[in-house]
Amino acid sequence: MPGRSDDLIQGTLDMLILKTLTIGRMHGYAIVQRIHQVSNDQLQIEEGSLYPALHRMEQKGWIASEWGMSENNRRARFYVLTKAGRKQLKAELNLWAKLSEATARVLDPAPERA
């Protein structure tokens, strides 16, 4: 069952975008395609979620952007991860690991001890 961006836990989209940008400079459509590809078609990010997230992260200083030409010769805004963005990604990955571990314990608890 393919996921939608509104199905994602709040804050997860930022983490996915930041992680995607670790491979280098990308425009919005390329970010969406990369997340879709890497998730084996399970995560689909809508433009209505992506661009507000990119704008918010740019305001926070986690990413920077510049205009350039895409691979099909169209003008596009390209995004890059900043030093602050790398720090934020590390924090979010640590939080995600803790949340995932805690959720796994609830979903598959160890047998009760007598």
Side-chain angles (χ1 to χ4, degrees), residues 11-26 30-32 34-35 38-39 43 50 54 57 62-63 79-82 84-94 96:
T12 303
L13 179 57
D14 290 1
M15 180 178 59
L16 294 174
I17 293 169
L18 292 172
K19 179 63 176 173
T20 301
L21 288 174
T22 62
I23 64 173
R25 175 181 180 259
M26 301 176 95
I31 293 169
V32 167
R34 177 71 179 168
I35 291 170
V38 172
S39 71
L43 298 175
L50 176 70
L54 289 169
M57 290 189 290
W62 300 345
I63 62 174
Y79 300 90
V80 294
L81 195 58
T82 64
R86 290 185 190 283
K87 183 177 178 181
Q88 180 64 26
L89 175 59
K90 184 177 179 181
E92 291 195 23
L93 289 172
N94 286 334
W96 180 260

Side-chain angles (χ1 to χ4, degrees), residues 17-108:
I17 293 169
L18 292 172
K19 179 63 176 173
T20 301
L21 288 174
T22 62
I23 64 173
R25 175 181 180 259
M26 301 176 95
H27 55 77
Y29 182 73
I31 293 169
V32 167
Q33 291 302 314
R34 177 71 179 168
I35 291 170
H36 185 74
Q37 174 191 27
V38 172
S39 71
N40 293 324
D41 305 330
Q42 294 301 301
L43 298 175
Q44 296 187 21
I45 310 303
E46 301 294 328
E47 285 185 30
S49 299
L50 176 70
Y51 290 103
L54 289 169
H55 182 71
R56 183 181 63 253
M57 290 189 290
E58 190 169 15
Q59 286 182 325
K60 292 181 177 183
W62 300 345
I63 62 174
S65 68
E66 63 185 14
W67 288 99
M69 297 303 282
S70 69
E71 53 280 347
N72 59 2
N73 277 340
R74 289 192 157 172
R75 191 166 181 238
R77 194 159 192 90
F78 285 82
Y79 300 90
V80 294
L81 195 58
T82 64
K83 185 176 178 180
R86 290 185 190 283
K87 183 177 178 181
Q88 180 64 26
L89 175 59
K90 184 177 179 181
E92 291 195 23
L93 289 172
N94 286 334
L95 182 59
W96 180 260
K98 290 176 185 177
L99 176 62
S100 297
E101 184 181 313
T103 302
R105 283 195 304 267
V106 172
L107 296 176
D108 190 23

